[in-house]
Amino acid sequence: MSIQEDYGSLVFGAKTMGKYLSHKTYQSLLATMKNGTALDPSIADEVAVGMKNWALDYGATHFTHWFQPLTGTTAEKHDSFFNPSSEGGVVASFSGKELTQGEPDASSFPSGGLRATFEARGYTAWDPTSPAFIKKNSDGVSVLCIPTVFCGYHGEALDRKAPLLRSQAALVKQLHRVAKLFGVEDTERPYATLGPEQEYFLVDAEVYRKRPDLVQTGRTLFGVRPARHQQLEDHYFGKIKNRVLSFMAEVDRELWKLGIPAKTRHNEVSPAQFELAPVFEEQNLSSDHNMLTMEILQNVAERYGMVCLTHEKPFDGVNGSGKHNNWSVTGPDGKNWLTPGKTPHENAKFLMVLVSIIKGVDTFAPLLRASVASAGNDHRLGANEAPPAIISIFLGDQLTDIIQQLEKGRPESSKAGGVLEIGVSSLPKLPKDATDRNRTSPFAFTGNKFEFRAVGSDQSCATANTALNAIVAWALDEVMNEIEALTSKGTDFNSALQSVLQKEIKEHKRVLFDGNGYSDEWKAEAKRRGLPNLTNTLEAIEAYRDPKVIKLYKDAGILSEIELESRYVIEKEKYEAVVALEANCALTMAKTMFLPEGISYSAELADSCSSLTDYAHAGVSSLAKKASTEVEALIKEIDKLEEAIGKGSPKDELQGMHNVRLHVDALEKIVPGSQWPVPSYGEMFFIG
Ligand code: ADP
Ligand code: MG
């Protein structure tokens, strides 16, 4: 089958629907999917039958409501289509009710106190804006998956999709208002777009199995980066090794079947690190597609004798993995509104949207930081790595210049050449090239979209995008309110816009930063500017308890105060659980693998001393001394780690792990590689 024929073959999308549904139902469902309008209940039964027939044709025996509980992964519970018939056989059936609503036992999913256990019932409800698909494993076992939101008995959101959809509604409302304000054509439902670039590592499955830390926690808790490593030097965009390329090709084929527009694949900067980027899509769909992409990466890796690591920081000393969250909006005129326009009028709209984004990001930087907070991502954010935990915006030279002109009013001259007057002057054509890149910025304008780079490679995009939509909707609302307040008093529109944008830039320009985000100077400068630097999850999630954030989410109908508090509780518990798991794993490995090895090697060295020449004797006994000093220190640190675990303090546990690691890593540098109980970084980095 050609790629074109195969593309989307596992999706109940427009093409397939046409074959399995009557014309009338098809039209109605298509409108629901496209415009996000409510589903006409009278067609649910027919849609269900069509979907079932399609799924059966593909060999599916079961269906499942597919959802994203707050655990961070996706969940599914399979039900077969088959019921005993009165004649003694079975009949396949699937009703509209089964399609649109499910009732999984919610009591084992995290609810952060939202749902007392006596209200264990949870509901899943069909999200028709993300099409149903068939998941097929390598043995051909096929399941019909129906994307759903997951909520509690009283409608409380227990997942990541419900708030995302609600935040989209808030944004859509403001985008229509912008269209009206600027007299822009309003013929389609506007929507946010998302293109998540996914980074990941690959390790050989055999090597992986010998590392209890990787198996249990997804990251190495010990290990020394080789001083020089060929793969450290020229991995980025390097030639893709055969086995990896075959893996990538199969990943692409699997994704295409699911209608996921995988586009780019390449080696990333760290050894054994890679990236996959899709073509951007409507945000909710793209977010679901990213969850599936992570699953497919893991499944296909297994078939190639490898393990795909989506953890944010599997290896110390080399770059971790993120998800570059490319975000934009397509207006009701069907155009990308973050593309600087050709006419002064379009530019005015572009600048208003841009300044609103700046206002939103500056005002709610802690919320954005919270939306990407996790134990794994803490090792990237705030740890001298891209991107920093300080949320700032990179605009690039040209746009910075334009913003500066706007702030000042009428400038004498400018890089762009000319005077910038809103609604009158044209913007220069902004080059969308490599000079506009700054890899250290957490939030960068890249020509026609913003790239939020702080999202962790293992996270769902939904939470970060919920925050993004929310803050932009809020800022647009505020800015338009201010403009309307002026125009209602008789100020002409362009002057009102100009003065409001000037004021907003003055207030929020502190968040703009084009320099090196890794540097210590920036940390100091950011502090002077009053920008928050929230280096760990526990600090970051405090944003969920900030009255300003509570009001933001409540007013926009995204999350009630109770729902938001439940996020706080869940993220905190999850963080503590991850750190505790790591601490216990580190303790066991140190006690049962590294300490015994350190002891026996020290003894071996000491024993061998007697039979040596004087010169060798001196060298070996100094090595023996070094080894036994490390062993002694390790014993002490193991005791302290054990104590920290007893106290259950994540901060102490992290510190304890760090200290234990120092001595284990020091021993790894002394003990012969062939004797070291686990594969080294060098062995893990080799993937060919
Ligand atoms: P780079 O960031 O390396 O320049 P691209 O600009 O081609 O690469 O795109 C990177 C990612 O951004 C891709 O996933 C792409 O689909 C996505 N992207 C491009 N335009 C948009 C948009 N308007 N909205 C959201 N994502 C977009
Ligand atoms: Mg990019």
Side-chain angles (χ1 to χ4, degrees):
M1 208 190 284
S2 75
I3 301 287
Q4 284 92 328
E5 280 167 331
D6 215 17
Y7 191 91
S9 58
L10 295 178
V11 180
F12 197 64
K15 211 165 79 182
T16 318
M17 276 158 44
K19 286 191 213 145
Y20 286 88
L21 301 176
S22 71
H23 186 68
K24 193 164 150 268
T25 302
Y26 169 76
Q27 292 293 344
S28 164
L29 181 57
L30 211 58
T32 299
M33 290 169 73
K34 198 153 168 272
N35 305 321
T37 46
L39 181 81
D40 173 0
S42 71
I43 68 164
D45 278 324
E46 192 195 326
V47 174
V49 170
M51 235 185 234
K52 175 206 69 187
N53 290 340
W54 169 69
L56 290 175
D57 286 349
Y58 269 84
T61 51
H62 290 67
F63 68 92
T64 181
H65 279 195
W66 185 77
F67 56 104
Q68 301 181 30
L70 292 162
T71 49
T73 52
T74 55
E76 49 192 75
K77 179 190 116 206
H78 302 179
D79 278 298
S80 92
F81 291 120
F82 302 105
N83 288 306
S85 74
S86 47
E87 289 89 48
V90 287
V91 285
S93 68
F94 186 46
S95 68
K97 168 112 195 331
E98 286 170 304
L99 165 65
T100 52
Q101 205 180 80
E103 224 177 286
D105 180 0
S107 57
S108 300
F109 292 108
S111 79
L114 260 184
R115 181 212 51 234
T117 32
F118 60 85
E119 277 180 9
R121 259 181 309 173
Y123 289 101
T124 48
W126 185 29
D127 164 23
T129 59
S130 179
F133 57 91
I134 288 174
K135 223 157 57 169
K136 204 174 195 150
N137 80 357
S138 52
D139 298 322
V141 179
S142 302
V143 180
L144 170 67
C145 297
I146 297 146
T148 52
V149 295
F150 178 44
C151 53
Y153 186 65
H154 301 293
E156 323 83 277
L158 293 174
D159 71 349
R160 296 179 190 276
K161 190 194 259 283
L164 178 67
L165 294 175
R166 295 173 188 168
S167 74
Q168 290 181 336
L171 182 64
V172 162
K173 190 171 143 202
Q174 298 304 327
L175 294 175
H176 279 304
R177 200 171 147 208
V178 176
K180 197 160 169 220
L181 196 64
F182 285 86
V184 172
E185 185 190 347
D186 191 341
T187 49
E188 303 171 21
R189 183 178 198 260
Y191 55 95
T193 50
L194 167 64
E197 301 167 51
Q198 175 74 44
E199 293 178 333
Y200 59 92
F201 282 85
L202 289 173
V203 286
D204 186 272
E206 291 229 350
V207 176
Y208 170 88
R209 275 193 281 274
K210 292 183 188 145
R211 296 277 323 201
D213 45 1
L214 269 188
V215 172
Q216 286 177 39
T217 74
R219 74 174 179 113
T220 55
L221 303 171
F222 303 95
V224 189
R225 187 189 112 150
R228 279 187 76 83
H229 196 278
Q230 189 256 326
Q231 297 197 36
L232 287 176
E233 316 281 308
D234 45 68
H235 189 68
Y236 188 61
F237 279 15
K239 177 173 167 294
I240 301 170
K241 295 236 182 88
N242 206 36
R243 181 186 184 189
V244 174
L245 185 58
S246 301
F247 153 82
M248 286 176 164
E250 186 162 335
V251 167
D252 284 342
R253 280 196 303 274
E254 296 280 322
L255 293 176
W256 291 336
K257 279 187 217 165
L258 287 164
I260 301 175
K263 179 82 176 165
T264 309
R265 58 193 190 200
H266 63 82
N267 289 0
E268 254 302 328
V269 282
S270 296
Q273 191 189 29
F274 308 92
E275 181 181 300
L276 182 156
V279 175
F280 70 93
E281 301 177 278
E282 186 280 324
Q283 187 184 48
N284 173 43
L285 181 63
S286 184
S287 169
D288 279 356
H289 279 172
N290 179 253
M291 297 305 286
L292 275 174
T293 299
M294 289 195 280
E295 191 175 321
I296 297 237
L297 282 169
Q298 270 142 8
N299 291 347
V300 176
E302 225 176 276
R303 282 179 234 158
Y304 286 80
M306 301 189 287
V307 175
C308 174
L309 307 174
T310 50
H311 192 284
E312 283 81 11
K313 191 73 179 176
F315 303 103
D316 201 33
V318 298
N319 264 354
S321 299
K323 196 131 43 191
H324 290 181
N325 188 103
N326 292 274
W327 180 96
S328 188
V329 290
T330 296
D333 54 355
K335 292 185 185 155
N336 178 356
W337 277 9
L338 285 180
T339 305
K342 292 193 187 67
T343 65
H345 193 64
E346 281 174 338
N347 292 334
K349 175 168 60 58
F350 168 73
L351 290 171
M352 191 187 86
V353 174
L354 182 74
V355 171
S356 300
I357 294 172
I358 295 170
K359 178 185 170 80
V361 171
D362 183 36
T363 310
F364 289 103
L367 171 62
L368 282 179
R369 173 65 184 88
S371 76
V372 296
S374 72
N377 214 15
D378 278 0
H379 298 289
R380 292 172 66 232
L381 312 173
N384 285 319
E385 193 179 323
I390 304 161
I391 303 286
S392 67
I393 300 179
F394 169 86
L395 289 182
D397 288 350
Q398 291 254 358
L399 213 46
T400 303
D401 183 46
I402 288 163
I403 290 293
Q404 281 166 357
Q405 289 185 52
L406 245 181
E407 185 198 350
K408 288 194 204 105
R410 286 161 167 268
E412 295 303 309
S413 68
S414 75
K415 271 188 206 163
V419 176
L420 188 77
E421 215 178 320
I422 270 215
V424 182
S425 6
S426 293
L427 291 188
K429 198 168 158 23
L430 301 173
K432 188 186 156 229
D433 63 19
T435 59
D436 256 6
R437 297 302 163 81
N438 176 330
R439 289 190 67 93
T440 70
S441 176
F443 201 84
F445 184 74
T446 46
N448 58 0
K449 62 188 189 295
F450 271 102
E451 195 167 326
F452 185 30
R453 303 191 180 124
V455 183
S457 51
D458 199 39
Q459 294 172 329
S460 157
C461 295
T463 304
N465 283 282
T466 301
L468 271 174
N469 296 343
I471 64 173
V472 175
W474 169 84
L476 284 171
D477 182 38
E478 293 271 309
V479 165
M480 286 188 284
N481 288 347
E482 290 174 59
I483 293 168
E484 284 167 4
L486 290 176
T487 51
S488 70
K489 279 191 231 131
T491 314
D492 79 90
F493 178 68
N494 284 341
S495 314
L497 181 60
Q498 182 118 11
S499 76
V500 169
L501 296 192
Q502 264 168 12
K503 173 185 150 270
E504 294 297 348
I505 292 168
K506 280 202 180 74
E507 254 170 58
H508 300 291
K509 66 180 178 187
R510 63 174 190 159
V511 78
L512 302 177
F513 177 66
D514 279 9
N516 177 6
Y518 303 170
S519 66
D520 285 335
E521 291 81 50
W522 170 231
K523 280 187 198 142
E525 168 67 15
K527 200 168 174 189
R528 271 195 296 280
R529 295 190 191 183
L531 300 178
N533 181 8
L534 305 167
T535 56
N536 71 59
T537 296
L538 294 181
E539 285 174 24
I541 60 174
E542 284 300 321
Y544 292 147
R545 290 184 157 176
D546 178 350
K548 212 164 69 178
V549 172
I550 294 171
K551 184 167 169 11
L552 171 80
Y553 273 8
K554 186 165 156 253
D555 288 353
I558 295 169
L559 290 171
S560 67
E561 181 168 359
I562 297 170
E563 287 173 318
L564 195 56
E565 171 65 13
S566 77
R567 264 60 185 178
Y568 174 88
V569 172
I570 288 167
E571 293 306 330
K572 182 164 181 283
E573 284 173 355
K574 211 161 63 185
Y575 175 82
E576 288 165 350
V578 169
V579 176
L581 173 70
E582 290 180 347
N584 278 293
C585 179
L587 181 70
T588 307
M589 285 176 79
K591 265 186 171 170
T592 65
M593 299 174 103
F594 305 122
L595 183 60
E597 181 55 44
I599 293 169
S600 66
Y601 187 60
S602 307
E604 206 180 298
L605 286 172
D607 283 353
S608 65
C609 282
S610 56
S611 59
L612 295 170
T613 63
D614 285 355
Y615 187 78
H617 185 274
V620 174
S621 63
S622 118
L623 196 58
K625 184 145 188 290
K626 188 157 192 280
S628 72
T629 311
E630 292 299 344
V631 165
E632 186 184 327
L634 179 57
I635 292 171
K636 287 183 187 151
E637 294 302 342
I638 284 176
D639 287 345
K640 283 198 213 151
L641 176 59
E642 199 148 24
E643 228 175 88
I645 292 172
K647 276 202 306 194
S649 145
K651 193 161 169 255
D652 294 345
E653 286 166 335
L654 282 167
Q655 187 62 51
M657 274 191 271
H658 174 79
N659 293 349
V660 166
R661 178 177 193 152
L662 284 181
H663 302 293
V664 171
D665 287 358
L667 282 169
E668 188 181 346
K669 288 185 192 158
I670 307 173
V671 175
S674 58
Q675 269 168 248
W676 194 244
V678 294
S680 68
Y681 270 30
E683 285 164 272
M684 285 185 284
F685 288 163
F686 182 81
I687 186 89

